[in-house]
Coordinates of all heavy atoms in Angstrom, one line a residue:
M76 N 0.8 -1.2 0.0 CA 0.0 0.0 0.0 C 0.8 1.2 0.0 O 0.5 2.2 -0.6 CB -0.9 0.1 1.2 CG -2.3 -0.4 1.0 SD -3.0 0.1 -0.5 CE -4.7 0.2 0.0
V77 N 2.0 1.2 0.8 CA 2.8 2.3 0.8 C 3.4 2.7 -0.5 O 3.6 3.8 -0.9 CB 3.9 2.2 1.9 CG1 4.9 3.3 1.9 CG2 3.3 2.0 3.3
F78 N 3.8 1.7 -1.2 CA 4.4 1.9 -2.6 C 3.4 2.6 -3.6 O 3.8 3.4 -4.3 CB 4.9 0.5 -3.1 CG 5.6 0.7 -4.4 CD1 6.9 1.2 -4.5 CD2 5.1 0.3 -5.6 CE1 7.5 1.4 -5.7 CE2 5.7 0.3 -6.8 CZ 6.9 0.9 -6.9
S79 N 2.2 2.1 -3.5 CA 1.2 2.7 -4.4 C 0.9 4.2 -4.1 O 0.7 5.0 -5.0 CB -0.1 1.9 -4.4 OG -0.7 2.0 -3.1
R80 N 1.0 4.6 -2.8 CA 0.8 6.0 -2.4 C 1.9 6.8 -2.9 O 1.8 7.9 -3.3 CB 0.6 6.1 -0.9 CG -0.7 5.6 -0.4 CD -0.9 5.9 1.1 NE -2.1 5.4 1.6 CZ -2.4 5.3 2.8 NH1 -1.6 5.7 3.7 NH2 -3.6 4.7 3.1
R81 N 3.2 6.3 -2.8 CA 4.3 7.0 -3.3 C 4.3 7.2 -4.8 O 4.6 8.2 -5.3 CB 5.6 6.2 -2.9 CG 5.9 6.3 -1.4 CD 7.2 5.6 -1.1 NE 7.5 5.6 0.3 CZ 8.6 4.9 0.9 NH1 9.3 4.2 0.1 NH2 8.7 5.0 2.2
M82 N 3.9 6.2 -5.5 CA 3.7 6.2 -6.9 C 2.7 7.3 -7.3 O 2.8 8.1 -8.2 CB 3.4 4.9 -7.5 CG 4.6 3.9 -7.5 SD 6.0 4.5 -8.3 CE 5.4 4.4 -10.0
A83 N 1.6 7.3 -6.5 CA 0.5 8.3 -6.8 C 1.0 9.7 -6.6 O 0.7 10.7 -7.3 CB -0.7 8.0 -6.0
A84 N 1.8 9.9 -5.5 CA 2.3 11.3 -5.2 C 3.3 11.6 -6.3 O 3.3 12.8 -6.7 CB 3.0 11.2 -3.9
L85 N 4.2 10.7 -6.7 CA 5.1 11.0 -7.8 C 4.4 11.3 -9.1 O 4.8 12.3 -9.7 CB 6.2 9.8 -7.9 CG 7.2 10.1 -9.0 CD1 8.1 11.2 -8.6 CD2 8.0 8.8 -9.2
A86 N 3.5 10.6 -9.4 CA 2.7 10.8 -10.6 C 2.0 12.2 -10.5 O 2.0 12.9 -11.5 CB 1.7 9.8 -10.8
A87 N 1.5 12.6 -9.4 CA 0.8 13.9 -9.3 C 1.8 15.0 -9.4 O 1.6 16.0 -10.1 CB 0.1 13.9 -7.9
V88 N 3.0 14.8 -8.9 CA 4.0 15.8 -9.0 C 4.5 16.0 -10.5 O 4.8 17.1 -10.8 CB 5.3 15.5 -8.1 CG1 6.4 16.4 -8.4 CG2 4.8 15.6 -6.6
V89 N 4.5 15.0 -11.2 CA 4.9 15.0 -12.6 C 3.8 15.4 -13.5 O 4.0 16.2 -14.4 CB 5.6 13.7 -13.0 CG1 5.8 13.6 -14.5 CG2 6.9 13.5 -12.2
V90 N 2.6 14.7 -13.3 CA 1.5 14.9 -14.3 C 0.9 16.3 -14.2 O 0.6 16.9 -15.3 CB 0.5 13.8 -14.1 CG1 -0.8 14.1 -14.9 CG2 1.1 12.5 -14.5
I91 N 0.7 16.9 -13.0 CA 0.0 18.1 -12.9 C 0.7 19.2 -13.6 O 0.2 20.0 -14.4 CB -0.4 18.4 -11.4 CG1 -1.4 17.4 -10.9 CG2 -0.8 19.9 -11.2 CD1 -1.6 17.5 -9.5
P92 N 2.0 19.5 -13.4 CA 2.7 20.5 -14.1 C 2.8 20.3 -15.6 O 2.6 21.2 -16.4 CB 4.2 20.5 -13.5 CG 4.0 19.9 -12.2 CD 2.9 18.9 -12.3
L93 N 2.9 19.1 -16.0 CA 2.9 18.7 -17.5 C 1.5 19.1 -18.1 O 1.5 19.6 -19.2 CB 3.3 17.3 -17.7 CG 4.8 16.9 -17.5 CD1 5.0 15.5 -17.8 CD2 5.6 17.8 -18.5
G94 N 0.5 18.8 -17.3 CA -0.9 19.1 -17.8 C -1.1 20.6 -17.9 O -1.7 21.1 -18.9
I95 N -0.6 21.3 -16.9 CA -0.7 22.8 -17.0 C 0.1 23.4 -18.2 O -0.4 24.2 -18.9 CB -0.2 23.4 -15.7 CG1 -1.2 23.1 -14.5 CG2 -0.1 24.9 -15.7 CD1 -0.7 23.4 -13.2
A96 N 1.3 22.9 -18.4 CA 2.1 23.3 -19.5 C 1.4 23.0 -20.9 O 1.4 23.8 -21.7 CB 3.5 22.7 -19.4
A97 N 1.0 21.8 -21.0 CA 0.3 21.4 -22.2 C -0.9 22.2 -22.5 O -1.2 22.7 -23.6 CB -0.1 20.0 -22.2
T98 N -1.7 22.5 -21.5 CA -2.9 23.4 -21.6 C -2.6 24.8 -22.0 O -3.2 25.4 -22.9 CB -3.7 23.4 -20.3 OG1 -4.0 22.0 -19.9 CG2 -5.0 24.2 -20.5
S99 N -1.5 25.4 -21.4 CA -1.2 26.7 -21.7 C -0.6 26.8 -23.1 O -0.8 27.8 -23.9 CB -0.2 27.3 -20.7 OG 1.0 26.6 -20.8
F100 N 0.1 25.7 -23.5 CA 0.6 25.7 -24.9 C -0.5 25.6 -25.9 O -0.4 26.3 -27.0 CB 1.7 24.6 -25.1 CG 2.3 24.5 -26.4 CD1 3.2 25.4 -26.9 CD2 1.8 23.5 -27.3 CE1 3.8 25.3 -28.1 CE2 2.3 23.4 -28.6 CZ 3.3 24.3 -28.9
A101 N -1.4 24.9 -25.6 CA -2.5 24.6 -26.6 C -3.4 25.9 -26.6 O -4.0 26.2 -27.7 CB -3.4 23.5 -26.1
L102 N -3.5 26.6 -25.5 CA -4.4 27.8 -25.6 C -3.6 29.1 -26.0 O -4.3 30.2 -26.1 CB -5.0 28.0 -24.2 CG -6.0 26.9 -23.7 CD1 -6.4 27.2 -22.4 CD2 -7.1 26.9 -24.7
S103 N -2.3 29.0 -26.2 CA -1.6 30.3 -26.5 C -1.8 30.7 -27.9 O -2.1 29.8 -28.8 CB -0.1 30.1 -26.2 OG 0.4 29.1 -27.1
D104 N -1.7 32.0 -28.2 CA -1.9 32.5 -29.6 C -0.6 32.3 -30.3 O 0.5 32.4 -29.8 CB -2.2 34.0 -29.5 CG -3.6 34.3 -28.9 OD1 -4.4 33.4 -28.9 OD2 -3.7 35.4 -28.4
R105 N -0.8 32.0 -31.6 CA 0.4 31.9 -32.4 C 0.3 33.0 -33.4 O -0.5 33.0 -34.4 CB 0.4 30.6 -33.2 CG 0.6 29.4 -32.2 CD 0.6 28.0 -32.9 NE 0.8 26.9 -32.0 CZ -0.2 26.4 -31.3 NH1 -1.4 26.9 -31.4 NH2 0.0 25.4 -30.5
P106 N 1.2 34.1 -33.3 CA 1.1 35.2 -34.2 C 1.4 34.9 -35.6 O 2.3 34.0 -35.8 CB 2.0 36.3 -33.6 CG 3.0 35.4 -32.8 CD 2.2 34.1 -32.3
E107 N 0.9 35.6 -36.5 CA 1.3 35.4 -37.9 C 2.6 36.0 -38.2 O 2.9 37.0 -37.5 CB 0.2 36.0 -38.8 CG -1.2 35.4 -38.7 CD -2.2 36.1 -39.6 OE1 -1.8 37.0 -40.4 OE2 -3.4 35.8 -39.4
S108 N 3.4 35.5 -39.1 CA 4.6 36.1 -39.4 C 4.4 37.4 -40.1 O 3.5 37.5 -40.9 CB 5.4 35.1 -40.3 OG 4.8 34.9 -41.5
P109 N 5.3 38.4 -39.8 CA 5.0 39.7 -40.4 C 5.2 39.7 -41.9 O 6.1 38.9 -42.4 CB 6.1 40.6 -39.7 CG 7.1 39.7 -39.2 CD 6.4 38.4 -39.0
T110 N 4.5 40.5 -42.6 CA 4.6 40.6 -44.1 C 5.3 41.9 -44.4 O 5.1 42.9 -43.8 CB 3.3 40.6 -44.8 OG1 2.5 41.6 -44.3 CG2 2.6 39.3 -44.5
V111 N 6.3 41.8 -45.4 CA 7.0 42.9 -45.7 C 6.4 43.5 -47.1 O 6.2 42.8 -48.0 CB 8.5 42.6 -46.1 CG1 9.3 43.7 -46.6 CG2 9.0 41.9 -44.8
P112 N 6.1 44.8 -47.1 CA 5.5 45.4 -48.3 C 6.6 45.3 -49.4 O 7.8 45.4 -49.2 CB 5.2 46.9 -47.9 CG 6.1 47.1 -46.7 CD 6.3 45.8 -46.1
P113 N 6.1 45.2 -50.6 CA 7.1 45.1 -51.8 C 7.9 46.3 -52.1 O 8.9 46.2 -52.6 CB 6.1 44.8 -53.0 CG 4.8 45.2 -52.6 CD 4.7 45.1 -51.1
K114 N 7.3 47.5 -51.7 CA 8.1 48.7 -52.0 C 7.8 49.6 -50.9 O 6.7 49.9 -50.4 CB 7.6 49.3 -53.3 CG 8.4 50.5 -53.7 CD 7.9 51.1 -55.1 CE 8.6 52.3 -55.5 NZ 8.1 52.9 -56.7
V115 N 8.9 50.3 -50.4 CA 8.8 51.3 -49.3 C 9.3 52.6 -49.9 O 10.3 52.7 -50.4 CB 9.7 50.9 -48.1 CG1 9.6 51.8 -47.1 CG2 9.2 49.5 -47.6
E116 N 8.4 53.7 -49.7 CA 8.8 55.0 -50.1 C 9.1 55.8 -48.9 O 8.3 55.9 -48.0 CB 7.7 55.6 -50.9 CG 7.5 54.9 -52.2 CD 6.3 55.5 -53.1 OE1 6.0 56.6 -52.8 OE2 5.9 54.8 -54.0
L117 N 10.2 56.6 -48.9 CA 10.6 57.4 -47.8 C 10.5 58.9 -48.2 O 10.7 59.2 -49.4 CB 12.0 57.2 -47.3 CG 12.3 55.7 -46.9 CD1 13.8 55.6 -46.6 CD2 11.4 55.5 -45.6
D118 N 10.1 59.7 -47.3 CA 10.1 61.2 -47.5 C 11.4 61.7 -47.7 O 12.4 61.2 -47.1 CB 9.4 62.0 -46.4 CG 7.9 61.8 -46.4 OD1 7.4 61.5 -47.5 OD2 7.3 62.0 -45.3
S119 N 11.7 62.6 -48.6 CA 13.0 63.2 -48.8 C 13.5 64.0 -47.7 O 14.7 64.2 -47.4 CB 13.1 63.9 -50.1 OG 12.2 65.1 -50.0
G120 N 12.5 64.6 -46.9 CA 12.9 65.4 -45.8 C 13.2 66.9 -46.1 O 13.3 67.7 -45.2
S121 N 13.3 67.2 -47.4 CA 13.6 68.6 -47.8 C 12.3 69.3 -48.2 O 11.5 68.6 -48.9 CB 14.7 68.6 -48.8 OG 14.2 68.0 -50.0
P122 N 12.2 70.5 -47.9 CA 10.9 71.2 -48.3 C 10.9 71.4 -49.9 O 12.0 71.5 -50.6 CB 11.0 72.5 -47.6 CG 12.4 72.8 -47.3 CD 13.0 71.4 -47.1
S123 N 9.7 71.5 -50.4 CA 9.6 71.6 -51.8 C 10.1 73.0 -52.2 O 9.9 74.0 -51.5 CB 8.2 71.4 -52.3 OG 7.3 72.4 -51.7
S124 N 10.6 73.1 -53.4 CA 11.2 74.4 -53.8 C 10.1 75.3 -54.4 O 10.4 76.5 -54.6 CB 12.3 74.2 -54.9 OG 11.8 73.5 -56.0
S125 N 8.9 74.9 -54.6 CA 7.9 75.7 -55.2 C 7.3 76.7 -54.1 O 6.9 77.8 -54.5 CB 6.7 74.8 -55.7 OG 6.2 74.1 -54.6
A126 N 7.3 76.4 -52.9 CA 6.9 77.3 -51.9 C 8.0 78.1 -51.3 O 9.1 77.6 -51.0 CB 6.2 76.5 -50.7
P127 N 7.8 79.5 -51.2 CA 8.9 80.3 -50.7 C 9.1 80.0 -49.1 O 8.1 79.8 -48.4 CB 8.4 81.7 -50.9 CG 6.9 81.6 -51.0 CD 6.6 80.2 -51.5
S128 N 10.3 79.9 -48.8 CA 10.6 79.6 -47.4 C 10.6 80.9 -46.5 O 11.1 81.9 -47.0 CB 12.0 79.0 -47.2 OG 13.0 79.8 -47.7
P129 N 9.9 80.9 -45.4 CA 9.8 82.1 -44.6 C 11.1 82.4 -44.0 O 12.1 81.6 -44.0 CB 8.8 81.7 -43.5 CG 8.9 80.2 -43.4 CD 9.3 79.7 -44.8
A130 N 11.3 83.6 -43.4 CA 12.5 84.0 -42.7 C 12.7 83.1 -41.6 O 11.9 82.4 -41.1 CB 12.3 85.4 -42.2
R131 N 14.0 83.0 -41.2 CA 14.4 82.0 -40.2 C 13.8 82.3 -38.9 O 14.0 83.4 -38.4 CB 16.0 82.1 -40.1 CG 16.5 81.0 -39.3 CD 18.0 81.1 -39.3 NE 18.5 79.9 -38.7 CZ 19.4 79.2 -39.2 NH1 19.9 79.5 -40.4 NH2 19.9 78.1 -38.6
P132 N 12.9 81.4 -38.4 CA 12.2 81.6 -37.2 C 13.2 81.4 -36.0 O 14.1 80.7 -36.1 CB 11.1 80.5 -37.1 CG 11.6 79.5 -38.0 CD 12.5 80.1 -39.0
T133 N 12.9 82.1 -34.9 CA 13.7 82.0 -33.7 C 13.3 80.7 -33.0 O 12.1 80.5 -32.8 CB 13.6 83.2 -32.8 OG1 12.2 83.3 -32.5 CG2 14.0 84.4 -33.5
P134 N 14.3 79.8 -32.7 CA 13.9 78.6 -32.1 C 13.5 78.8 -30.6 O 14.0 79.7 -30.0 CB 15.2 77.7 -32.1 CG 16.2 78.8 -32.3 CD 15.7 79.9 -33.0
T135 N 12.5 78.1 -30.2 CA 12.1 78.2 -28.8 C 13.0 77.3 -28.0 O 13.4 76.2 -28.4 CB 10.6 77.7 -28.6 OG1 10.5 76.4 -29.1 CG2 9.6 78.6 -29.3
P136 N 13.4 77.7 -26.8 CA 14.3 76.8 -26.0 C 13.7 75.6 -25.6 O 12.5 75.5 -25.2 CB 14.7 77.7 -24.8 CG 13.6 78.7 -24.7 CD 13.1 78.9 -26.1
T137 N 14.4 74.5 -25.7 CA 13.9 73.2 -25.2 C 14.2 73.1 -23.7 O 15.0 73.9 -23.2 CB 14.6 72.0 -25.9 OG1 16.0 72.1 -25.7 CG2 14.3 72.1 -27.4
P138 N 13.5 72.2 -23.0 CA 13.8 72.1 -21.5 C 15.2 71.8 -21.2 O 15.7 72.2 -20.2 CB 12.8 70.9 -21.1 CG 11.8 70.9 -22.2 CD 12.4 71.4 -23.4
S139 N 15.9 71.2 -22.1 CA 17.3 70.9 -21.8 C 18.2 72.2 -21.9 O 19.3 72.2 -21.4 CB 17.9 69.9 -22.7 OG 17.8 70.3 -24.0
D140 N 17.7 73.3 -22.6 CA 18.4 74.4 -22.7 C 18.2 75.4 -21.5 O 19.0 76.4 -21.4 CB 18.0 75.2 -24.0 CG 18.5 74.4 -25.2 OD1 19.4 73.6 -25.1 OD2 17.9 74.7 -26.2
E141 N 17.3 75.1 -20.6 CA 17.0 76.0 -19.6 C 18.1 75.9 -18.5 O 18.5 74.8 -18.2 CB 15.6 75.8 -19.0 CG 14.6 76.1 -19.9 CD 13.2 75.8 -19.4 OE1 13.1 75.5 -18.1 OE2 12.2 75.8 -20.1
V142 N 18.4 77.0 -17.8 CA 19.4 77.0 -16.7 C 18.7 77.0 -15.5 O 17.9 77.9 -15.2 CB 20.4 78.2 -16.9 CG1 21.4 78.2 -15.8 CG2 21.1 78.1 -18.2
V143 N 19.0 76.1 -14.6 CA 18.4 76.0 -13.3 C 19.5 76.2 -12.3 O 20.6 75.5 -12.3 CB 17.7 74.6 -13.1 CG1 17.1 74.5 -11.8 CG2 16.6 74.5 -14.2
S144 N 19.2 77.0 -11.2 CA 20.2 77.2 -10.2 C 20.3 75.9 -9.3 O 19.3 75.2 -9.1 CB 19.8 78.5 -9.4 OG 18.6 78.2 -8.7
R145 N 21.4 75.8 -8.7 CA 21.6 74.7 -7.8 C 20.9 74.8 -6.5 O 20.8 75.9 -6.0 CB 23.1 74.4 -7.4 CG 23.9 74.0 -8.6 CD 25.3 73.8 -8.1 NE 25.9 72.6 -8.7 CZ 27.1 72.2 -8.4 NH1 27.9 72.9 -7.6 NH2 27.5 71.1 -8.9
P146 N 20.4 73.7 -5.9 CA 19.8 73.9 -4.6 C 20.9 74.2 -3.5 O 22.1 73.8 -3.7 CB 19.1 72.5 -4.3 CG 19.8 71.6 -5.2 CD 20.3 72.4 -6.4
P147 N 20.5 74.7 -2.4 CA 21.5 75.0 -1.4 C 22.0 73.7 -0.7 O 21.2 72.7 -0.6 CB 20.7 75.8 -0.3 CG 19.3 75.5 -0.6 CD 19.2 75.2 -2.0
V148 N 23.3 73.7 -0.3 CA 23.8 72.5 0.3 C 23.6 72.6 1.8 O 23.9 73.5 2.5 CB 25.4 72.5 0.0 CG1 26.0 71.3 0.7 CG2 25.6 72.4 -1.5
T149 N 23.0 71.5 2.3 CA 22.8 71.4 3.8 C 23.2 70.1 4.3 O 23.4 69.1 3.6 CB 21.2 71.5 4.1 OG1 20.6 70.5 3.4 CG2 20.6 72.8 3.6
D150 N 23.5 70.1 5.6 CA 24.0 68.8 6.2 C 22.8 67.9 6.4 O 23.0 66.7 6.5 CB 24.6 69.2 7.6 CG 26.1 69.8 7.3 OD1 26.6 69.6 6.2 OD2 26.5 70.5 8.2
S151 N 21.7 68.3 6.8 CA 20.5 67.5 7.0 C 19.3 68.1 6.3 O 19.2 69.2 6.0 CB 20.3 67.4 8.5 OG 19.8 68.7 9.0
S152 N 18.4 67.2 6.0 CA 17.2 67.6 5.3 C 16.0 67.3 6.1 O 16.0 66.3 6.9 CB 17.2 66.8 4.0 OG 15.9 67.0 3.3
A153 N 15.0 68.1 5.9 CA 13.7 67.9 6.6 C 13.0 66.5 6.1 O 12.3 65.9 6.9 CB 12.8 69.0 6.4
D154 N 13.3 66.2 4.9 CA 12.8 64.9 4.4 C 13.6 63.7 4.7 O 13.2 62.5 4.3 CB 12.7 65.1 2.8 CG 11.7 66.1 2.4 OD1 10.8 66.4 3.3 OD2 12.0 66.6 1.3
D155 N 14.7 63.8 5.4 CA 15.5 62.7 5.7 C 15.0 61.8 6.9 O 14.7 62.3 7.9 CB 16.9 63.2 6.2 CG 17.9 62.0 6.3 OD1 17.6 60.9 5.9 OD2 19.0 62.3 6.9
D156 N 14.7 60.6 6.6 CA 14.1 59.7 7.6 C 15.1 58.6 8.0 O 14.8 57.6 8.6 CB 12.8 59.1 7.0 CG 13.1 58.1 5.9 OD1 14.1 58.1 5.3 OD2 12.2 57.3 5.6
D157 N 16.4 58.9 7.8 CA 17.4 57.9 8.2 C 17.6 57.9 9.8 O 18.3 56.9 10.2 CB 18.7 58.2 7.5 CG 18.7 57.8 6.1 OD1 17.8 57.1 5.6 OD2 19.5 58.4 5.3
D158 N 17.1 58.9 10.5 CA 17.3 58.9 11.9 C 16.6 57.8 12.6 O 17.1 57.3 13.7 CB 16.8 60.3 12.5 CG 17.6 61.4 12.0 OD1 18.7 61.2 11.5 OD2 17.0 62.5 11.9
D159 N 15.5 57.3 12.1 CA 14.9 56.2 12.8 C 15.3 54.8 12.4 O 14.7 53.8 12.8 CB 13.3 56.3 12.6 CG 12.9 56.3 11.2 OD1 13.8 56.3 10.3 OD2 11.7 56.1 10.9
D160 N 16.3 54.7 11.5 CA 16.8 53.4 11.0 C 17.7 52.8 12.2 O 18.5 53.4 12.7 CB 17.6 53.5 9.8 CG 16.8 53.9 8.6 OD1 15.5 53.7 8.7 OD2 17.3 54.2 7.6
G161 N 17.4 51.5 12.4 CA 18.3 50.8 13.3 C 19.4 50.1 12.7 O 19.5 50.2 11.5
P162 N 20.1 49.4 13.4 CA 21.2 48.6 12.8 C 20.6 47.5 11.9 O 19.7 46.8 12.4 CB 22.0 48.1 14.0 CG 21.1 48.2 15.1 CD 20.1 49.3 14.9
G163 N 21.2 47.3 10.8 CA 20.7 46.2 9.9 C 19.6 46.6 9.0 O 19.0 45.8 8.3
D164 N 19.1 47.9 9.0 CA 18.1 48.4 8.2 C 18.6 49.0 7.0 O 18.4 50.2 6.7 CB 17.1 49.4 9.0 CG 16.3 48.7 10.0 OD1 16.2 47.5 9.9 OD2 15.8 49.4 10.9
D165 N 19.4 48.3 6.2 CA 20.0 48.9 5.0 C 19.0 49.0 3.9 O 19.4 49.6 2.9 CB 21.3 48.1 4.6 CG 22.4 48.3 5.6 OD1 22.3 49.3 6.4 OD2 23.2 47.4 5.7
G166 N 17.9 48.4 3.9 CA 16.9 48.6 2.9 C 16.8 47.3 2.1 O 16.4 47.1 1.1

């Protein structure tokens, strides 16, 4: 009797994960392979010569061009919560 219980437990350990894997494989979507168009046309990127180009506009500064002053240097911060950390609380 003990041998059959061991065999049933071993079969359950092997069969249940295999059944789950087979079910998920059978239910998974199989995407179609991508199709490549026969001809691809790209924009030249240059403006057409028929329209007159306006005078050179002044560029607006991007956020990376803005100058921001440094925050003041302090020894401790009001937002610092390291004071209540005990030994071994490295995070």
Side-chain angles (χ1 to χ4, degrees):
M76 262 319 208
V77 174
F78 184 71
S79 63
R80 286 184 184 173
R81 287 182 183 173
M82 289 301 291
L85 179 63
V88 167
V89 172
V90 170
I91 291 173
L93 287 178
I95 292 171
T98 303
S99 66
F100 179 75
L102 296 177
S103 65
D104 293 334
R105 291 178 183 85
E107 298 176 7
S108 61
T110 58
V111 179
K114 184 178 180 184
V115 177
E116 295 181 16
L117 301 175
D118 284 339
S119 63
S121 62
S123 62
S124 61
S125 63
S128 61
R131 189 175 191 127
T133 58
T135 57
T137 60
S139 62
D140 293 339
E141 295 178 9
V142 177
V143 179
S144 62
R145 289 184 137 178
V148 178
T149 59
D150 288 338
S151 64
S152 172
D154 296 333
D155 187 14
D156 65 348
D157 289 339
D158 296 337
D159 61 347
D160 289 346
D164 289 342
D165 291 336

